Each structure stands twice: as structure tokens, then as C-alpha cells.
């Protein structure tokens, strides 16, 4: 376990450095992951050999750039088992994907008096866009509660989702509570009531096998940068018939069929949504990231991370004064460990850990309603990926203990 | 290096102020109240001031945050209490300079006293915002005060 899954650590030279005089232990993967050499090479090679604009040239480079860009779309489709490549729309990020679904599809199907159902554990990007739709359409935004363990309360879900519900939007994996939500079951409940199911896959797609057809979600959103690809490329999956009825969000070049002086018609899916020059290198790099992940095997990644959590969680819980949020059973917990230390602000904890070379996040994790629900202002969060090792986990626990001892005299 | 470097930031005076904050609370007869948030962590500081005759007659802070933001707020109240508005604004400027690693005059450094120790936060760039929050809030209050005075 000391070289990452399948010896993958060597592909991430960034991990091999000292921070504050200590070897770097990167545990902020829920915020963004590092990029392997293979992905970086793909980007350089694209710019050194193939760079051109897509879908608009007849020359050879334009054709090559277009081929790579579209081949990556096929990889994305296969990665999440989409029925059709037309269902894969490139966006900037999860945030943009969710905003597009909300502002375009949401405003199309939500009317006055309708309900939108989300949950207490959502990221702001799956809350605020729905608040906007609810305000604009005079609809009600409802929240599914959590169990005392921090899991989605399915009884609450069944109560909140009613015949008035038009949209159910839930994170498949939670960015603070470290739980995986039963999206398939939620989609069934939503569909029984005639509502559409939208899953925020930002924390799920990088870590487990995704099958959008089996989940039967209507839309699925995720970000490239949380799964080895660069920032600025994301994906919106939508069922084809729904994407057909959903109006474009941006207008301009690339997305048109024909433009007259007074109006225009849209080109077909998925390009109808991709106005202007897209993030070509980002999309191609996402394809390369998917190749890398597929080669490791999503099931292997999932199993490896589970092993790391099963190793780390009990040790973290054993540190006196540490509170871990979400389930304490490692079988129910992902590689996202949000925690607090008694009497210490998470900012002070994170600065202390940074001095030991351990990178964690501290703050509200873009989940202020959840912080309110948990009655905390912020938490620290360590999050793992397949290139982390048991040695990383040991260093993390050792650093947490050292921070606790450092402050033991000064702060009660 | 490890945790030893933390001693530069978490000095005894700072820990003491975080643990036993001075002038905590809200002024009943404030002439101005300003609440500022650190959007990255959700910390909130509310500063209330009572200005009499262009002088800070009373000053309190409330809210929640990390050791640095709490200690910095507490130290600010002790340093700026009873200062003239003009001098307080100079000292706020000096404090801002210190925490971003700039030099300040010996006079300002002396007058900032223990608060100048917060200046070591310059070595911890991610935490500068924590140190600055309360001072920014007061600065805005004094700005408002200045603006109305010129009306
Ligand atoms: C659950 C969840 N949803 C959405 C997002 C937003 O992702 P991005 O910032 O890439 O748009 C994040 C990332 O922080 C997340 O963790």
C-alpha cells in the first residue's frame, strides 16, 4: 500500500516534495486531485501537435483536434455507461452543469406551487441554483433530513417527495458527511411521483463505477478536476429526450444550425449546448484521465480507498477529543473524513497540520446549510484518493495528535 | 521543521487573548456596528464602536472564529481604545502593512504593542484574512464616520 494503488504514486511527481520542511501528504482530494504525468503529456502533446479550433476547419489540424475532442466524449459516455454520446455535454464544471439544468430545464418544468427537493448535505452548487428557480417560479424548496448517523433519512425522503415535486436533486457522494446516497432508490421514488432525478456526481464519479442507466437518473453532473483532469472541464449527462426539450443556455458560434437576420435554429445534440470555442485541451485531457482511471479499474479504486478508510477512521476516532462527522462505521464511509478537535478551530488545526506537511481543508466546504444543521461553523476535512498510502494515513494521525498536544497547554 | 514553526504564530499573548478575550460583547450605545464575514470559513466578527468627539470612547467585538481572528480582535480593542479616529486609522494601516509582511515605523510598531506580534501571520499567508477581519470592520466603521463628518 505504500506506493498507492498499482504503484500509481510514481505517476504524480507533485506528491514527491517537501512542504514546510516535511514530506507532503496531500489529503485535499475532495477539493481537487493531482494530475498524473499521462494527463499532463496529453495536454502538451495536443498543443505541440494538434492544436486547432474544433468543428470549423477543413484543414488537417482542425480535423485532428475535432477527432480527439469527440473521441474524449465517447470515453466519457462509456465511463458512466450513457446510452448515447449525444447525452454527454461538456461544461466548465459540476457547478456549471447544475446551473444549466436548473436555469434551463428547471425553469421549464417547475411552475408556481411546485416543489423542488434537495437534502441537508448538499454542496452550495446543488442548493443555490435551485433557490433561484424556486424564487423565480414561486415554488417551494424542501430539504430531506439526515439520520443521527449523518446518512440521508429515506423516511424523510419519502415524506418530502410528493406529487407536487418536479425536481429531486441530490449528491451521490457527500463532500462533508462522507456518505454515498441511494440515488437509484431516490430516482425510483422521484419517478413514481412524476419528478425528475438529478444527481450531483462531483464526489462520486472519481471514486466508483457509475452507471447512469442503472441509476436511472435524468441528469448527472461531475467535474474533471476532481478525477485527474485539469480545471475548467466538466460534464453534464442528460437523457436524450430531456436534453432535446431543454433550451440552450448560451448562444453563439458552434451551437447553431443556421442563422438568419432575425432568428436562428439550433444544431443537434450535444453541440446545441456548446456555444463558442470550448475547452478543447481540457476535454481531451479528461479523456486521458478516464483512460488512466479505467486502466486502474474503478472497482479497484473503490476497494483501495475503502481499505484506507477502514485503516484511518478508527485511528482518528481514537484520538481524544476528535469528532468525526458522518457514520463511524467504515463500511458506510467514503474517503472523505470531516472532523473537529475539541476546543480548537479547524483553521488552527489545518495550519498545524500544514506545518507537518499534511494538506487538509478547513472551512464550511461550500455547505453552510449543513454546517447550520450540524451546529458547527466549520470543520477540518481530510480526503483520500488512490495514490494516498497507509504511510500518509499514519502521518496524518500522528500530525493530528501533535497538533492536539501543541495546543493542549495554550487553549482549553 | 514541523510544529515548531507554530510557536511563531501562536505566541503566549495571542493564545491568552484568544482564551480570555478583552472587550468582548456589544455596546448598547454604539455609534456604529459592523459585521464582517470571512466567506471561506464562515467566521463572523461584529465590531461596535462608540465615537465621542473624534475619539474612540469605547470598542467591543463579538462573533466566532479561530484563535487568530479572536486574538487579533481582542488585541485591536486594547490598542485602539481611547485613540483619536485619525490615529486609529493610521494604526489600522500599520497593522495591515505588518500582517502582509511590510515594514512599519518604530513608533507605530511600539504603539501596536502586543498586536504587532500578530504580524508573524505574514509567514502564514492562508491566515492573513483571519487576522485582518476585525481591523477591516473597524476601518469601515471609521470610514463611514469620516464620510458623514464631511457631509
Ligand atoms: C458534492 C459537490 N458538488 C459540487 C461541487 C462543485 O464542483 P466544482 O467546483 O468543480 O464545480 C463540489 C466540489 O467542491 C462537490 O464536492
Amino acid at each position: 500500500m505504500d506506493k498507492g494503488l498499482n504503484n500509481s504514486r510514481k505517476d504524480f511527481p507533485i506528491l514527491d516534495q517537501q512542504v514546510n520542511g516535511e514530506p507532503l501528504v496531500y489529503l485535499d482530494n475532495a477539493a481537487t486531485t493531482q494530475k498524473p504525468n499521462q494527463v499532463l503529456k496529453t495536454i502538451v502533446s495536443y498543443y505541440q501537435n494538434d492544436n486547432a479550433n474544433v468543428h470549423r476547419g477543413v484543414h488537417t489540424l482542425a480535423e485532428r483536434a475535432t477527432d480527439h475532442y469527440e473521441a474524449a466524449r465517447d470515453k466519457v459516455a462509456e465511463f458512466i455507461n450513457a446510452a448515447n454520446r449525444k447525452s454527454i455535454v461538456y461544461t466548465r464544471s459540476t457547478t456549471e452543469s447544475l446551473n444549466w439544468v436548473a436555469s434551463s430545464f428547471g425553469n421549464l418544468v417547475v411552475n408556481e406551487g411546485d416543489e423542488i427537493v434537495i437534502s441537508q448535505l448538499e454542496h452550495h452548487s446543488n442548493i443555490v441554483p435551485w433557490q433561484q428557480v424556486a424564487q423565480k417560479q414561486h415554488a417551494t424548496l424542501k430539504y430531506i433530513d439526515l439520520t443521527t448517523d449523518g446518512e440521508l433519512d429515506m423516511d424523510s425522503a419519502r415524506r418530502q417527495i410528493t406529487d407536487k415535486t418536479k425536481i429531486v436533486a441530490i449528491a451521490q457522494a457527500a463532500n462533508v458527511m462522507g456518505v454515498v446516497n441511494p440515488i437509484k432508490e431516490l430516482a425510483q421514488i422521484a419517478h413514481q411521483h412524476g419528478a425528475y432525478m438529478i444527481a450531483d456526481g462531483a464526489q462520486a464519479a472519481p471514486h466508483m463505477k457509475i452507471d447512469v442507466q442503472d441509476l436511472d437518473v435524468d441528469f448527472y453532473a461531475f467535474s474533471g478536476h476532481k478525477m485527474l483532469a485539469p480545471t475548467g472541464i466538466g460534464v453534464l449527462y442528460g437523457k436524450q429526450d430531456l436534453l432535446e426539450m431543454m433550451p440552450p443556455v448560451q448562444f453563439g458560434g458552434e451551437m447553431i444550425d443556421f442563422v438568419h437576420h432575425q432568428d436562428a435554429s439550433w444544431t443537434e445534440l450535444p453541440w446545441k449546448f456548446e456555444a463558442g470555442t470550448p475547452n478543447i485541451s481540457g476535454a481531451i485531457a479528461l479523456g486521458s484521465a478516464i483512460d488512466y482511471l479505467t486502466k486502474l479499474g474503478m472497482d479497484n479504486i473503490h476497494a483501495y480507498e475503502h481499505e484506507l478508510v477502514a485503516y484511518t477512521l478508527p485511528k482518528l476516532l481514537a484520538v481524544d477529543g476528535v469528532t468525526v462527522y458522518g457514520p463511524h462505521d467504515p463500511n458506510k464511509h467514503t474517503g472523505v473524513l470531516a472532523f473537529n478537535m475539541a476546543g480548537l478551530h479547524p483553521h488552527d488545526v489545518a495550519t498545524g497540520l500544514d506545518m507537518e506537511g499534511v494538506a487538509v481543508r478547513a472551512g464550511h466546504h461550500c455547505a453552510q446549510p449543513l454546517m447550520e444543521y450540524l451546529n458547527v461553523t466549520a470543520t477540518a476535512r481530510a480526503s483520500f484518493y488512490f495514490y494516498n498510502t497507509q504511510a500518509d494515513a499514519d502521518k496524518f494521525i500522528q500530525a493530528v495528535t501533535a497538533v492536539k498536544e501543541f495546543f493542549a497547554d495554550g487553549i482549553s | 521543521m514541523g510544529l515548531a514553526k507554530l510557536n511563531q504564530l501562536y505566541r503566549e499573548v495571542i493564545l491568552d487573548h484568544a482564551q480570555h478575550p478583552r472587550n468582548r460583547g456589544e455596546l448598547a450605545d454604539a455609534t456604529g456596528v459592523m459585521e464582517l464575514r470571512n466567506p471561506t470559513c464562515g467566521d463572523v466578527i461584529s465590531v461596535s464602536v462608540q465615537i465621542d468627539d473624534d475619539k474612540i470612547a469605547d470598542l467591543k467585538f463579538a462573533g466566532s472564529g479561530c484563535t487568530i481572528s479572536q486574538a487579533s480582535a481582542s488585541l485591536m480593542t486594547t490598542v485602539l481604545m481611547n485613540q483619536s479616529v485619525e490615529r486609529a486609522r493610521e494604526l489600522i494601516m500599520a497593522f495591515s502593512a505588518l500582517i502582509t509582511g511590510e515594514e512599519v515605523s518604530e513608533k507605530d510598531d511600539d504603539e501596536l504593542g502586543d498586536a504587532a506580534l500578530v504580524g508573524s501571520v505574514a509567514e502564514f499567508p492562508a491566515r492573513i484574512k483571519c487576522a485582518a477581519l476585525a481591523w477591516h470592520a473597524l476601518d469601515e466603521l471609521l470610514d463611514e464616520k469620516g464620510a458623514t463628518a464631511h457631509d
Side-chain angles (χ1 to χ4, degrees):
Chain A
M1 250 208 160
D2 58 343
K3 290 175 177 167
L5 174 60
N6 268 2
N7 207 7
S8 51
R9 213 176 158 87
K10 66 171 185 338
D11 297 328
F12 297 81
I14 194 172
L15 296 174
D16 187 19
Q17 65 172 293
Q18 305 252 314
V19 163
N20 294 313
E22 299 282 332
L24 169 65
V25 174
Y26 185 77
L27 296 180
D28 196 15
N29 294 289
T32 200
T33 63
Q34 303 302 346
K35 324 302 175 198
N37 283 334
Q38 289 84 337
V39 169
L40 301 178
K41 275 191 192 133
T42 301
I43 299 169
V44 172
S45 163
Y46 165 71
Y47 279 119
Q48 283 183 339
N49 301 303
D50 309 319
N51 177 50
N53 212 326
V54 290
H55 298 304
R56 47 176 85 160
V58 289
H59 60 80
T60 304
L61 291 193
E63 203 162 300
R64 261 195 244 148
T66 305
D67 283 352
H68 290 319
Y69 179 74
E70 292 303 332
R73 194 189 310 272
D74 290 327
K75 290 176 189 179
V76 174
E78 200 183 323
F79 184 66
I80 59 170
N81 195 33
N84 189 326
R85 70 191 312 280
K86 291 185 177 180
S87 280
I88 306 297
V89 179
Y90 289 129
T91 63
R92 184 167 63 81
S93 59
T94 307
T95 300
E96 187 164 89
S97 301
L98 293 169
N99 269 277
W100 283 9
V101 181
S103 67
S104 175
F105 187 78
N107 279 315
L108 197 66
V109 299
V110 175
N111 294 302
E112 188 166 346
D114 289 343
E115 296 168 351
I116 299 168
V117 176
I118 61 176
S119 86
Q120 295 285 2
L121 53 66
E122 302 305 316
H123 186 279
H124 290 165
S125 63
N126 197 32
I127 301 175
V128 186
W130 301 116
Q131 291 175 341
Q132 295 299 308
V133 176
Q135 283 166 19
K136 189 163 170 195
Q137 304 299 339
H138 303 284
T140 313
L141 185 61
K142 294 165 77 181
Y143 285 79
I144 298 172
D145 281 326
L146 310 182
T147 66
T148 46
D149 232 15
E151 295 182 277
L152 212 63
D153 180 343
M154 289 304 285
D155 290 331
S156 168
R158 279 183 207 92
R159 278 194 306 273
Q160 296 291 41
I161 301 169
T162 71
D163 286 346
K164 284 189 184 170
T165 307
K166 288 290 158 59
I167 300 272
V168 179
I170 305 286
Q172 187 175 11
N175 70 322
V176 177
M177 300 307 270
V179 292
V180 177
N181 295 319
I183 294 297
K184 187 172 175 173
E185 195 181 339
L186 287 161
Q188 271 166 10
I189 300 171
H191 292 152
Q192 277 161 14
H193 290 280
Y196 297 98
M197 181 71 212
I198 294 141
D200 168 357
Q203 299 292 349
H207 302 281
M208 62 190 76
K209 181 107 197 69
I210 305 300
D211 183 336
V212 287
Q213 294 185 74
D214 180 56
L215 293 174
D216 198 21
V217 286
D218 297 297
F219 294 94
Y220 193 90
F222 59 102
S223 295
H225 72 94
K226 292 184 199 285
M227 47 180 281
L228 312 181
T231 50
I233 185 73
V235 173
L236 172 61
Y237 159 86
K239 283 183 182 163
Q240 196 182 333
D241 55 329
L242 302 180
L243 286 177
E244 299 280 9
M245 68 187 252
M246 174 170 148
V249 183
Q250 290 177 349
F251 305 85
E254 309 266 19
M255 55 78 66
I256 42 82
D257 179 27
F258 205 91
V259 180
H260 307 280
H261 278 96
Q262 300 302 328
D263 55 20
S265 53
W266 320 139
T267 188
E268 53 183 324
L269 285 177
W271 304 291
K272 163 177 124 175
F273 291 101
E274 296 176 5
T277 302
N279 183 353
I280 304 167
S281 69
I284 295 171
L286 175 60
S288 169
I290 287 172
D291 287 342
Y292 189 98
L293 292 170
T294 308
K295 200 164 156 209
L296 277 180
M298 293 311 293
D299 289 337
N300 295 335
I301 291 172
H302 189 67
Y304 181 90
E305 286 175 21
H306 174 69
E307 229 179 294
L308 267 181
V309 173
Y311 180 79
T312 316
L313 182 55
K315 288 187 163 57
L316 184 59
L317 285 165
V319 180
D320 201 27
V322 166
T323 305
V324 178
Y325 300 96
H328 289 178
D329 174 357
N331 291 313
K332 294 180 175 178
H333 213 111
T334 67
V336 169
L337 302 175
F339 65 100
N340 266 322
M341 297 172 72
L344 280 180
H345 191 282
H347 257 177
D348 298 315
V349 172
T351 295
L353 295 180
D354 187 44
M355 290 305 114
E356 294 280 290
V358 180
V360 301
R361 179 152 178 208
H364 54 57
H365 315 291
C366 301
Q368 280 181 320
L370 174 63
M371 296 292 116
E372 210 175 297
Y373 191 83
L374 296 174
N375 201 17
V376 297
T377 53
T379 81
R381 179 186 71 186
S383 51
F384 292 83
Y385 210 17
F386 60 80
Y387 42 65
N388 288 122
T389 63
Q390 231 169 52
D392 288 345
D394 288 337
K395 182 67 202 261
F396 165 60
I397 297 295
Q398 181 206 316
V400 166
T401 312
V403 166
K404 179 177 135 69
E405 280 163 11
F406 178 88
F407 285 106
D409 308 328
I411 304 219
S412 58
Chain B
M1 188 175 309
L3 284 183
K5 192 179 169 195
L6 276 189
N7 289 312
Q8 285 174 29
L9 182 58
Y10 297 97
R11 311 222 189 181
E12 233 164 87
V13 191
I14 290 178
L15 294 178
D16 178 56
H17 273 265
Q19 232 182 332
H20 309 287
R22 325 290 199 267
N23 303 307
R24 224 186 128 75
E26 274 166 53
L27 290 175
D29 44 1
T31 46
V33 181
M34 173 71 61
E35 182 180 287
L36 280 191
R37 289 163 186 274
N38 182 345
T40 58
C41 62
D43 286 359
V44 191
I45 290 231
S46 165
V47 172
S48 52
V49 66
Q50 193 203 336
I51 295 175
D52 260 346
D53 214 8
D54 268 333
K55 213 179 96 184
I56 296 179
D58 209 351
L59 183 60
K60 279 195 191 302
F61 81 99
S64 66
C66 61
T67 304
I68 303 303
S69 73
Q70 296 291 297
S72 182
S74 170
L75 282 158
M76 175 187 81
T77 61
T78 60
V79 173
L80 298 186
M81 188 80 80
N82 295 321
Q83 298 279 3
S84 71
V85 168
E86 196 190 341
R87 183 66 187 136
R89 298 188 65 172
E90 285 167 12
L91 287 170
I92 291 172
M93 291 263 287
F95 180 82
S96 290
L98 266 183
I99 61 172
T100 49
E102 288 167 41
E103 299 264 322
V104 301
S105 73
E106 206 169 305
K107 178 162 176 280
D108 286 353
D109 197 76
D110 276 355
E111 207 159 342
L112 283 172
D114 285 345
L117 293 176
V118 181
S120 52
V121 79
E123 298 278 316
F124 300 78
R127 306 299 300 281
I128 292 172
K129 272 190 194 158
C130 311
L133 202 58
W135 299 71
H136 278 172
L138 182 60
D139 195 36
E140 290 201 19
L141 280 173
L142 300 183
D143 263 356
E144 278 178 9
K145 172 79 189 148
T148 46
H150 291 291
D151 268 349

